[in-house]
Amino acid sequence: VEYYSQRASEGGLLITEATCVSVEGVGIPCTPGIWTTEQAAGWKKVTDAVHAKGGKIFVQLWHMGRVSHESYKEHPLLASRTGVMAPSAVGWEGGEVHTTSG
């Protein structure tokens, strides 16, 4: 809340960091989410603080798709994850995916 509130100003527009929209879309450690009731409540506090200073805020919705890594299902918040989701059956050929274990 404090981070965004400090940057808010009358008539200003803040765009958040990439925010995961589903458990299947998490692809980088420690990124924020907005798919649970608790996460949405946290973002509500942020938006209320920005609006109180006359600012506007836009959450950048994000889904890692094919680049999301299976190892993230070990995180308690991601335990319900059933697999990696992507927009097509075409595989990713982009190189390495870095996780918390390497």
Side-chain angles (χ1 to χ4, degrees), residues 26-101:
V26 175
I28 295 179
C30 304
T31 54
I34 195 165
W35 72 85
T36 69
T37 302
E38 292 81 10
Q39 291 167 332
W43 280 109
K44 174 86 168 97
K45 291 176 186 176
V46 171
T47 58
D48 287 348
V50 170
H51 293 162
K53 290 191 170 183
K56 305 290 184 195
I57 187 165
F58 177 87
V59 66
Q60 182 182 184
L61 301 177
W62 191 40
H63 190 292
M64 289 292 293
R66 178 82 55 214
V67 183
S68 185
H69 198 272
E70 276 295 310
S71 68
Y72 294 119
K73 69 182 178 185
E74 297 165 8
H75 187 283
L77 190 57
L78 307 179
S80 66
R81 185 176 169 147
T82 57
V84 173
M85 292 179 61
S88 76
V90 177
W92 179 63
E93 298 177 17
E96 299 178 50
V97 174
H98 298 277
T99 68
T100 54
S101 59

